[in-house]
Amino acid sequence: PQLLDRSQQEELAETLRQAVAAAPLFIPVMPRTGRPFSVRMTNLGQLGWVSDRSGYRYQPRHPDTGQPWPPIPEAVLEVWRRVAAYPAPPEACLVNVYREGARMGLHQDADEEYFAAPVDSISLGDTAVFRIGGQLRGGPTRTLKLSSGDVLVMGGAARLSYHGIDRLVPGSSTLLRDGGRINLTLRRVTRPAPSP
């Protein structure tokens, strides 16, 4: 909880505004059905996660602009170094933007090549009601609230836990000018090369 203080949150929010100017937010759609997500997203880093009718995947370029994703900001990499307990840096930083009414159904983060690295999540803005279960769909879940500045690490046995966002708590933060929530999800996608 509150790993990032208010000034760090404000600096990161401004950095993200600049990044979104280079890699505009887009609305992903579900594979096969084409149903749009309720969140808008973009990515930072070498690889970005996308979803469209052909499936879920990581790719090195923005699906609309064709440009490489902007680099992951140093402040975000510093969070990874503090909490990940993993020797290689993240390759992808998924940026999800939630407005009132947006949610994310229970899912696993399982599109990476392997799962030794944790998934690190940074929350900015309105509090989210986060639900997490086990590694089997339909099992018992529990909820917790993620507030602005909180960092969640899913590693070890929790790495493939089903998780999602049930709802936001509108007006619970004054960080973002228009309200809502930004979630940064840091992921290692490929297996690091072995050390010589």
Side-chain angles (χ1 to χ4, degrees):
Q2 295 296 290
L3 185 73
L4 301 179
D5 65 26
R6 177 68 184 217
S7 64
Q8 291 172 310
Q9 295 171 43
E10 289 172 350
E11 289 175 19
L12 183 51
E14 181 55 37
T15 299
L16 292 173
R17 283 187 198 93
Q18 296 169 20
V20 167
L25 295 170
F26 61 94
I27 299 175
V29 299
M30 293 294 293
R32 296 180 298 281
T33 67
R35 181 179 175 199
F37 284 41
S38 62
V39 299
R40 294 180 300 156
M41 66 178 53
T42 191
N43 290 274
L44 309 171
Q46 298 167 267
L47 295 170
W49 186 87
V50 298
S51 175
D52 57 25
R53 284 184 176 272
S54 62
Y56 305 125
R57 66 188 175 281
Y58 286 94
Q59 63 187 42
R61 295 181 178 273
H62 193 288
D64 296 334
T65 69
Q67 296 300 308
W69 305 105
I72 299 173
E74 181 57 33
V76 176
L77 293 172
E78 179 57 29
V79 170
W80 175 272
R81 289 190 287 267
R82 287 178 66 183
V83 302
Y86 190 76
E91 296 167 292
C93 178
L94 175 61
V95 181
N96 283 328
V97 177
Y98 293 79
R99 297 294 182 209
E100 189 173 348
R103 60 183 302 276
M104 184 73 68
L106 289 175
H107 65 282
Q108 286 180 307
D109 291 343
D111 297 316
E112 299 75 34
E113 286 183 6
Y114 80 128
F115 309 115
V119 172
D120 293 353
S121 168
I122 302 170
S123 294
L124 297 172
D126 284 341
T127 296
V129 178
F130 176 79
R131 182 179 300 275
I132 187 165
Q135 294 184 9
L136 298 176
R137 183 182 290 280
T141 63
R142 64 187 182 115
T143 60
L144 58 131
K145 291 185 176 178
L146 298 177
S147 300
S148 194
D150 288 355
V151 175
L152 175 78
V153 180
M154 294 195 321
R159 172 60 181 78
L160 289 172
S161 292
Y162 277 88
H163 61 283
I165 298 294
D166 286 347
R167 62 185 174 84
L168 299 187
V169 180
S172 51
S173 171
T174 58
L175 179 71
L176 305 176
R177 286 190 293 246
D178 299 324
R181 174 181 187 253
I182 299 173
N183 177 245
L184 307 178
T185 306
L186 294 162
R187 303 173 185 173
R188 181 79 200 180
V189 179
T190 64
R191 185 185 301 270
S195 300

